[in-house]
Amino acid sequence: MKIRFFVLLSLLISLVPTAPSLAAGDRFALVIGNAKYPDADAPLKEPINDARAVADELKRDGFSVELGENLTGDAMRRAFDKLYGKIKPGSVALVFFSGFGIQSARQSYLLPVDAQIWTESDVRRDGFSLETVLGELNTRGAGVKIALIDASRRNPFERRFRSFSAGLTPVIAPNGTLVMYSAALASVVSDAGGDRSLFVQELLKEIRVPDLMAEETLNRTKMGVTRASRGEQVPWISSSLAEDFSFIPGAGGSRPATPPPPPPPAPPAAPAVVANNPPPADPAPAPSTDGGPSAAALADDPTIKSLTAKIAANPDDVNALYRRGQVYASKGAYSLAIKDFDDTLRINSKDVEALNNRCWTRTVVGDLQGALKDCNEALRLRPNFVDALDSRGLVNLKSGAVKNAIADFDAALKINPRLTSSLYGRGLAKQRNGSAQEGALDIANAKAMDPNIVQEFASYGVR
């Protein structure tokens, strides 16, 4: 389920300052996924998918994104130089790296796939110092520097040193910098073997929540990773941001709550007989067809207002349509969200994220046949797409096809064993299928990882 994070919790960092000095186009990102290191026993499974998912999200928020996969040292150097060359005074510059990292001489180094490392001096020769990268971005005039580093992995290079410190080390960064490591200082985590790392799953979930400031988004990511791993993985954050920035342009500052169910319509009042009827008052904004708020009622929301302006200027702005659909869904305006996802898919019928989000939204409003069609198409285009498996499990659960729901949730949990929505959904499906004890265990485990999961499913109409 891709939009479920909106109703409880809701790129990478479309960070725009609250002050209007930063132009919307002055956001640049370099996203690197390095997986094929010859010295490793096998290619890493997560970095490429993680990098692609992060790059897609950043593009949706208006970043100019360069994506690099399995970069050699020369290719990484060219990629960083290209990023440096784009920076203008006041720009936002973001670096995402997934692969192997290593600390040496109290600095953290990002490693290209062709690094030849046998001594610590080789680290400084072949690796890329994170402090140096951030310092260069600052020198070029970047107002906001962001580094999201998923490189706290045990790697074969470290074992070659007689003495070494595992993981990454604190970064000494210039003012206006926000840095996040996927794990605590000097600690390592292993790839889970799924499509994406736990860190990136939680990061993407929180980045898509409208109306959050960047630091809050990363803090919520940290809490999500810590909770889902039961304390085994605790990300590290360092910030010297002087101003608030938001991942979503035009965001306010508070996290949206679960939209309450619409109140029942009041009975019509009996007509009053008066001698002189007063002029009629201006009509209140009509609700959307699903009972949620109307477009007029949400028009002044800063995020929606900004996205609507983009769509007015370019009706085929697929990123703005998709993003506004997500925000509408977070506000409970499901019919408006579906319309935006319809338009997104009109422009690009193979947008699996939009298909999955429309599947989820249709499920919430009860269009289970349309939802199932969307999820099936998303999974045809991207087999083993964990979010679509999770969404289709909810469709089957709501429609009473509990065996199919269990199969979908099983498949999602095989990819991501800590996916609480699939764990809780499977528990409900098992109970409805007659396996009360097994279902209760799944439900208890899901509630232990996410105490809000019961409220989340209630908002979907599932109890």
Side-chain angles (χ1 to χ4, degrees):
M1 284 172 254
K2 244 314 147 61
I3 303 182
R4 69 178 188 84
F5 36 78
F6 278 121
V7 289
L8 284 175
L9 304 171
S10 154
L11 219 236
L12 248 159
I13 301 176
S14 317
L15 300 163
V16 254
T18 54
S21 59
L22 184 64
D26 291 343
R27 298 191 298 275
F28 304 102
L30 173 60
V31 177
I32 298 173
N34 282 352
K36 294 182 179 179
Y37 290 86
D39 284 343
D41 295 334
L44 299 171
K45 294 182 178 180
E46 297 168 349
I48 300 300
N49 287 333
D50 284 346
R52 291 174 181 177
V54 167
D56 287 344
E57 284 304 315
L58 287 171
K59 290 175 184 176
R60 290 189 187 278
D61 275 350
F63 270 83
S64 172
V65 179
E66 292 289 334
L67 172 62
E69 299 178 4
N70 293 320
L71 298 186
T72 63
D74 286 342
M76 279 185 69
R77 188 168 294 104
R78 288 194 299 270
F80 280 119
D81 286 342
K82 188 173 182 179
L83 175 63
Y84 300 150
K86 294 179 179 179
I87 301 303
K88 306 171 186 176
S91 295
V92 171
L94 183 147
V95 173
F96 173 88
F97 178 85
S98 181
F100 282 141
I102 195 169
Q103 62 167 289
S104 176
R106 299 183 181 179
Q107 289 194 42
S108 293
Y109 289 84
L110 314 178
L111 301 184
V113 294
D114 62 347
Q116 299 293 315
I117 295 175
W118 294 94
T119 66
E120 286 203 56
S121 61
D122 295 335
V123 176
R124 296 185 287 276
R125 181 198 66 200
D126 286 357
F128 291 81
S129 163
L130 181 57
E131 287 187 10
T132 299
V133 170
L134 293 172
E136 183 65 26
L137 292 172
N138 189 65
T139 300
R140 298 293 181 114
V144 175
K145 285 76 63 179
I146 309 296
L148 302 170
I149 308 300
D150 192 2
S152 300
R153 296 176 169 94
R154 175 75 71 208
N155 65 67
F157 308 113
E158 291 173 329
R159 303 188 187 103
R160 296 170 180 171
F161 305 154
R162 292 183 178 179
S163 62
F164 67 87
S165 297
L168 303 179
T169 191
V171 60
I172 301 174
N175 288 336
T177 302
L178 183 59
V179 179
M180 187 173 195
Y181 295 160
S182 60
L185 299 173
S187 67
V188 294
V189 293
S190 300
D191 276 17
D195 280 351
R196 297 178 189 166
S197 69
L198 174 61
F199 171 67
V200 168
Q201 290 175 39
E202 294 296 324
L203 179 65
L204 293 176
K205 187 186 299 182
E206 295 297 339
I207 277 172
R208 294 162 180 158
V209 180
D211 304 329
L212 289 185
M213 293 298 105
E215 288 186 7
E216 185 179 3
T217 298
L218 296 193
N219 280 323
R220 289 181 182 276
T221 299
K222 177 180 178 178
M223 289 188 292
V225 172
T226 304
R227 182 178 62 233
S229 67
R230 302 199 178 197
E232 294 179 5
Q233 181 177 350
V234 182
W236 177 82
I237 301 172
S238 175
S239 176
S240 62
L241 293 181
E243 301 180 60
D244 283 336
F245 293 89
S246 172
F247 292 119
I248 297 178
S254 61
R255 182 190 195 120
T258 303
V273 179
V274 292
N276 295 303
N277 289 327
D282 292 335
S288 58
T289 55
D290 54 34
S294 67
L298 295 173
D300 289 333
D301 177 278
T303 305
I304 292 175
K305 189 174 183 179
S306 171
L307 293 169
T308 300
K310 290 184 178 181
I311 295 166
N314 177 12
D316 289 339
D317 187 335
V318 66
N319 290 334
L321 285 165
Y322 173 83
R323 176 66 68 202
R324 191 176 68 175
Q326 290 183 306
V327 180
Y328 275 146
S330 77
K331 307 291 186 182
Y334 299 118
S335 62
L336 296 173
I338 290 171
K339 183 179 183 304
D340 277 348
F341 295 139
D342 287 344
D343 288 339
T344 302
L345 291 162
R346 170 181 57 79
I347 299 167
N348 179 11
S349 62
K350 296 183 179 181
D351 188 329
V352 294
E353 304 284 355
L355 282 166
N356 176 58
N357 283 343
R358 191 173 68 177
C359 170
W360 178 88
T361 311
R362 283 175 162 174
T363 305
V364 173
V365 301
D367 179 10
L368 301 181
Q369 185 174 358
L372 184 61
K373 182 179 178 181
D374 281 343
C375 274
N376 284 342
E377 178 64 8
L379 287 164
R380 185 188 71 81
L381 293 167
R382 186 187 294 176
N384 296 321
F385 180 18
V386 65
D387 296 315
L389 287 167
D390 188 47
S391 294
R392 194 172 68 179
L394 179 64
V395 178
N396 286 320
L397 183 61
K398 288 195 73 172
S399 64
V402 292
K403 290 183 179 179
N404 289 341
I406 291 171
D408 281 334
F409 290 136
D410 278 343
L413 289 165
K414 184 177 181 181
I415 298 168
N416 178 11
R418 297 187 178 97
L419 189 56
T420 52
S421 55
S422 284
L423 190 59
Y424 186 81
R426 188 177 69 177
L428 293 178
K430 284 181 175 179
Q431 288 187 330
R432 295 177 186 182
N433 198 44
S435 301
Q437 189 171 357
E438 289 184 17
L441 180 60
D442 277 349
I443 290 171
N445 287 334
K447 289 166 68 175
M449 289 191 286
D450 184 356
N452 295 314
I453 195 68
V454 178
Q455 179 188 356
E456 178 180 336
F457 270 70
S459 73
Y460 305 154
V462 179
R463 299 177 187 274

